[in-house]
Structures are given as C-alpha cells and as structure tokens.
Amino acid sequence: MAKIKKSDSVLVIAGKDKGVTGKVIDVLGDRILVEGVARVKRHTKEQTGERGVKVGGIITVESSIHISNVMVVDADGKASRLGSRKNDDGKNVRISRRTGKDI
C-alpha cells in the first residue's frame, strides 16, 4: 500500500525532473501523476467539443513516474519519509519521520 496520497506535496528525488516540487494529481498503483513533472507531448485527433470548439492536436500532459522517485514534503518544506502512529481516537495518522509531526 502506498503512503503517498492524492493532493500531497512531493519532491522528485530521481529522474529528469529531479529537484522539482509538485502536487500529486493521481495515484495509479505503484506509479503517480505529479503536477508539472514528466511532461510529454501527446498527439490527439482533433475533435469538435462543446459549442463547436475544436479540441486536439499536439497537447502537453503529465506522464506517470514511479512512486519510489518521490518523497513527501512536510510542513517545513523539506523532503521526509513517512511513518504512522495511532492518535487518541485510535485512527492511523501519517507522520514525518524527520520531525515526528503530523502530515
């Protein structure tokens, strides 16, 4: 099970976009989509959308990257590993291993 969730802020630690921080758009098993990272050109067939607007051509979209190539950014703005603990209500809470604070 992945500890990284949708809308987390992450830092890319490996690959062509190393050092870039972005927000997680989607988690796809062991791969994730990060806003502004691993952008690729996609050729799509031009179609007529709503109100007769032409949509298509060459568009730039985010491609997925492996989940091991990112680290979660904690409240201090630094990359940290994740852990978990039980809170007072007995629910699991994600914590930063670097500081011990909740994420």
Side-chain angles (χ1 to χ4, degrees):
M1 185 183 103
K3 295 180 183 178
I4 296 174
K5 300 191 182 308
K6 189 174 179 176
S7 78
D8 279 348
S9 184
V10 294
L11 173 72
V12 179
I13 58 171
K16 66 178 183 177
D17 291 315
K18 181 178 180 177
V20 176
T21 304
K23 188 174 140 188
V24 176
I25 299 170
D26 199 9
V27 179
L28 311 164
D30 64 346
R31 301 186 73 80
I32 59 172
L33 291 175
V34 181
E35 196 173 85
V37 174
R39 298 189 50 97
V40 294
K41 300 276 189 185
R42 180 154 297 157
H43 299 261
T44 60
K45 187 175 180 179
E46 193 172 273
Q47 298 174 346
T48 305
E50 292 181 20
R51 302 181 188 169
V53 177
K54 298 277 186 187
V55 178
I58 301 173
I59 57 173
T60 306
V61 295
E62 284 89 5
S63 179
S64 67
I65 60 174
H66 199 269
I67 204 161
S68 66
N69 293 334
V70 298
M71 287 181 80
V72 172
V73 174
D74 60 9
D76 300 339
K78 295 190 178 181
S80 173
R81 289 176 298 172
L82 288 178
S84 64
R85 66 171 176 80
K86 298 247 186 216
N87 66 0
D88 299 335
D89 301 333
K91 293 188 177 185
N92 283 333
V93 177
R94 296 185 307 155
I95 62 168
S96 167
R97 288 282 186 192
R98 196 174 67 79
T99 60
K101 297 178 185 173
D102 291 355
I103 300 250

